[in-house]
Amino acid sequence: MKRISLTRYLVEQQREHGRIPAQLRMLIEVVARACKHIAIAVNKGALGDVLGSAHSENVQGEIQKKLDVISNEVLIEANEWGGHLAAMASEEMDSIHLVPNRYPQGEYLLLFDPLDGSSNIDVNVSIGTIFSVLRKVGHTHGVAEDDFLQPGKHQAAAGYCVYGPQTTLVLTLGDGVAMFTLDRETGSWVLTATDVRIPEDTQEFSINMSNQRHWAAPVQRYIGECLAGATGPRGKDFNMRWVGSMVADVHRILSRGGVFLYPWDAREPEKPGKLRLMYEANPMSFIVEQAGGLASTGVERIMDIVPGKLHERVAVVIGSKNEVLRVAACHAAGDADASSAA
Ligand code: AHM
Ligand code: MG
C-alpha cells in the first residue's frame, strides 16, 4: 500500500485544487505536530505525572485537569512563532492570546478545545483535541475578540485528533473529510481514509440519558420514539452509545453513522446548552457536514449562528442527515403544538 503522509496530502491538495495557502498548510502541520506531543503525554498517563487535577478553574468555572493545562500550553507554544497566525482562542483561556510582537503576524485565527472529554482523562477512555481555523477579516493591524466572532460557515479548516486505541487526525479544508493515523514507529501521520461519508440513516443515538428528566418536550419525544423500538412509531430498534467525550462520540458517527445530542436542559436554563459553539460545535459541524451529515441546534443550522461572545454555548444535534432532520421536525412540531394551543 502506498503510504501518503499528511505533508504529501496537503501538497497534493494544493496542486490539484490550489486552495491551501502556504500559511494554512503550515498551520495544519503545526497543529498536527502539537497533537503528537499531546498524544505522547496522554499515553504516559500515571508514568508522566500528568493525571489528576491542576487545582485551577477555567473561564467556564470548570476544574482543569493537568492534561487540560498541558495540552493548552503545547498548542500555544507550537503555534506562536511560525508567522501563520494572528491570534488564538481556547476553551481553557479567558480571553484571546495574541501572537507576541517579536514574531510575524499571519492571516489566520486558531480556536481549540485542547483536550475534550476531560472527565475521561483519568479513566483511560478516549479523549481528543478539537480545532477550528478562521481567516482574520478586516484590515486593522491588531486583533480583537470581535475578529473571532464569525459564523462557523466561514471556517477555512477544522479538525480533531482522537487519542484512543489509535491516534487519529480528522481534517476538512472544505473539500471533504480525510483521516490520518499516527504511525508511532515513524512518528508520521499516514492517510488512512479519504472522502469520508456518514450514512444518511442510522439506528444508533448518543445522549447523556441521566439528564432525561431535564430535557425539553421535542427531545423527550425524539428519544422516546427511538426507545419505543420496532413496535413504536419508528418501526425499528435503536442502539445507544455514549462515551462522554464529544470527540470520540462524533468519531464513531463519522465511522459508522449515528446521531449525537447535547440539548438544552433545565439544569441551567439560562444557558442554551453545555457545549461551546466556537471550540466544539462549529468545527465538528464543519467536519460532519463535509461528510454528508447535518448539524443543528434543533431549530437552526449551527454554522449559521453569528456568535455573540467567544465562550458562547449552544445546543447540539449532529450526525446522520435523516436523524438530525427528524429531531428538527420534533422541534417544529413542538412549536406548531404550542401556537395551536395559544
Ligand atoms: P470538556 O471540553 O470540558 O471535556 O466538556 C465537553 C464534554 C464533551 O466531550 C461531552 O460530550 C460532554 O462534555 C459530556 O458532559 P457530561 O458528562 O456533563 O454530560
Ligand atoms: Mg470539550
Side-chain angles (χ1 to χ4, degrees), residues 161-179:
C161 181
V162 54
Y163 312 111
Q166 302 118 42
T167 302
T168 308
L169 179 73
V170 176
L171 176 68
T172 186
L173 299 156
D175 187 23
V177 177
M179 290 188 187

Side-chain angles (χ1 to χ4, degrees), residues 49-55 64-71 115 121-122:
D49 191 26
V50 294
L51 301 184
S53 170
H55 303 292
Q64 293 177 303
K65 301 278 186 166
K66 282 185 195 164
L67 268 171
D68 286 323
V69 175
I70 292 167
S71 305
L115 206 59
I121 293 174
D122 294 345

